[in-house]
Amino acid sequence: EKEQYGNILSIELIIRRNFLMKVVNASFEIIDTIRPEEILKNIEKFGRVCYKSESNITEDSASPFISRIIKSGHESVIEHEKISVKIICDRGVSHEIVRHRIASYSQESTRYCNYIKDKFGNELTFIKPIFWAEESPEYQIWFSSMENIENTYMQLINLGARPEQARAVLPNSLKTEIIVTMNLREWRHFFKLRTSNRAHPQMREISIPLLQEFKALLPCIFDDIISE
């Protein structure tokens, strides 16, 4: 029986070598259709209730008003607006993202996604580590390890393991997709923490360009946040 089992694994390994895992870069997509003028006018309208200064609203008063209340620390007003973003990153980064508690998340499930299926290309997808050059020994070791993990995962599935069981061998480098919805105040908190030079490099790969997108859309809300 042991010999037969060993032959099965050898055959499966040979079969799996015909497939090639995919390595991709992290990325993001802002899901919401952002209407900056509408967002700013809403925030001003809500915020001026606190001061009963609605009569001071003009066509171009929203941006300076919001800049002043943020500078004064009155950030609760910007919680009335939210933005949803689709982030493609590795599982390690996603574990850090979901530690932000004032948010909503919908994430690709390794319990229900069977990566041997055609819709996944019959392969695992991994996020490229940005801190190693492809020609470096470290990257080659990482790449070989991911290949072995893919082979092991596929062997387990072929032997009858369910995806929720086979996922036990999946690493932090596995690609995941996660929808993140935060109000604007929590996005400010997220960027202050996650663009810092103390943040993980794979996190900064996402957070810094995402912050630049937010600054372009809503400068009066995000321009004061400086990525280190």
Side-chain angles (χ1 to χ4, degrees):
E1 289 185 5
K2 283 187 176 180
E3 183 178 349
Q4 183 180 7
Y5 178 69
N7 289 338
I8 291 173
L9 290 184
S10 297
I11 292 170
E12 294 294 347
L13 183 58
I14 292 170
I15 291 173
R16 284 303 309 144
R17 286 300 180 184
N18 292 328
F19 295 96
L20 180 63
M21 68 186 194
K22 186 184 296 183
V23 178
V24 300
N25 292 318
S27 60
F28 63 83
E29 176 189 358
I30 296 175
I31 300 297
D32 288 328
T33 300
I34 307 298
R35 298 179 176 86
E37 185 176 349
E38 181 179 321
I39 288 175
L40 298 183
K41 285 184 179 299
N42 282 341
I43 292 173
E44 180 186 23
K45 181 169 60 178
F46 305 151
R48 285 194 181 277
V49 169
C50 302
Y51 311 102
K52 296 313 296 174
S53 61
E54 294 95 328
S55 61
N56 293 335
I57 294 176
T58 66
E59 190 61 34
D60 56 358
S61 60
S63 182
F65 171 79
I66 294 168
S67 293
R68 286 197 303 273
I69 63 174
I70 288 177
K71 188 175 181 180
S72 72
H74 189 187
E75 294 192 12
S76 62
V77 177
I78 65 175
E79 292 177 9
H80 290 289
E81 294 287 344
K82 61 84 178 175
I83 294 178
S84 297
V85 179
K86 178 181 180 181
I87 296 176
I88 297 177
C89 59
D90 69 29
R91 298 288 303 193
V93 168
S94 76
H95 295 335
E96 296 185 15
I97 290 174
V98 299
R99 293 176 66 186
H100 291 264
R101 291 172 174 81
I102 308 174
S104 296
Y105 304 104
S106 297
Q107 185 172 8
E108 178 181 343
S109 172
T110 53
R111 284 194 68 195
Y112 302 114
C113 293
N114 184 342
Y115 296 108
I116 203 169
K117 299 295 186 182
D118 289 344
K119 68 178 179 178
F120 298 105
N122 315 108
E123 63 190 354
L124 295 181
T125 299
F126 302 101
I127 297 294
K128 182 180 180 181
I130 62 171
F131 35 79
W132 292 323
E134 288 189 25
E135 64 275 10
S136 69
E138 293 89 347
Y139 183 89
Q140 295 304 316
I141 291 171
W142 171 85
F143 190 91
S144 176
S145 178
M146 296 306 105
E147 279 190 316
N148 289 334
I149 286 170
E150 182 185 55
N151 288 328
T152 301
Y153 177 88
M154 298 305 180
Q155 288 171 31
L156 288 170
I157 295 292
N158 285 331
L159 287 169
R162 298 191 301 273
E164 66 177 16
Q165 298 169 331
R167 78 172 184 178
V169 301
L170 297 177
N172 274 345
S173 287
L174 183 74
K175 183 273 294 180
T176 190
E177 299 183 13
I178 182 168
I179 304 297
V180 181
T181 301
M182 297 182 184
N183 67 54
L184 299 188
R185 186 182 193 180
E186 185 61 17
W187 276 118
R188 282 177 56 83
H189 179 238
F190 174 85
F191 289 128
K192 287 176 182 178
L193 291 180
R194 303 307 182 177
T195 62
S196 164
N197 58 16
R198 296 180 297 279
H200 192 280
Q202 300 281 113
M203 176 67 80
R204 285 165 56 86
E205 181 184 18
I206 287 290
S207 62
I208 291 176
L210 183 57
L211 173 58
Q212 297 309 314
E213 290 280 340
F214 275 46
K215 285 185 175 186
L217 291 167
L218 299 164
C220 69
I221 296 178
F222 294 100
D223 263 355
D224 65 314
I225 302 175
I226 308 299
S227 55
E228 300 176 18

